[in-house]
Amino acid sequence: AVFVYTLPNIVTGEIAIRNKYYGESSFYVIEERDDELMMCTAALAFRDPAITSVLAGWGECPDPEHYEADLFILEK
């Protein structure tokens, strides 16, 4: 297996470990918020019968004074 060791993947991995989430974690870097892409990615995860919930969201921090974060949990 190939492991991409990047800061965003470290963040998602640490969140999973700290909260005892088991399964996959991933982080996507895209130009702008794409809710349809987030829902499609979650739907793909739900194809695995072991997946019962998905933590998804959008975060953006263009500078230290401005940020946006929107996280949500999807359940089967």
Side-chain angles (χ1 to χ4, degrees):
V2 176
F3 178 73
V4 179
Y5 196 73
T6 63
L7 184 56
N9 287 314
I10 293 169
V11 170
T12 59
E14 287 296 321
I15 291 169
I17 291 167
R18 183 168 294 163
N19 292 284
K20 296 185 172 105
Y21 298 148
Y22 302 101
E24 295 184 33
S25 66
S26 57
F27 191 104
Y28 301 94
V29 178
I30 56 178
E31 288 293 320
E32 59 187 39
R33 182 180 179 136
D34 187 339
D35 290 334
E36 185 177 339
L37 177 62
M38 283 192 283
M39 292 302 129
C40 287
T41 303
L44 287 172
F46 283 133
R47 288 184 176 179
D48 182 337
I51 302 292
T52 58
S53 62
V54 172
L55 173 64
W58 169 260
E60 182 174 18
C61 184
D63 60 62
E65 286 81 37
H66 302 91
Y67 65 91
E68 176 185 354
D70 183 18
L71 299 171
F72 48 93
I73 296 175
L74 302 168
E75 296 184 287
K76 268 189 185 175

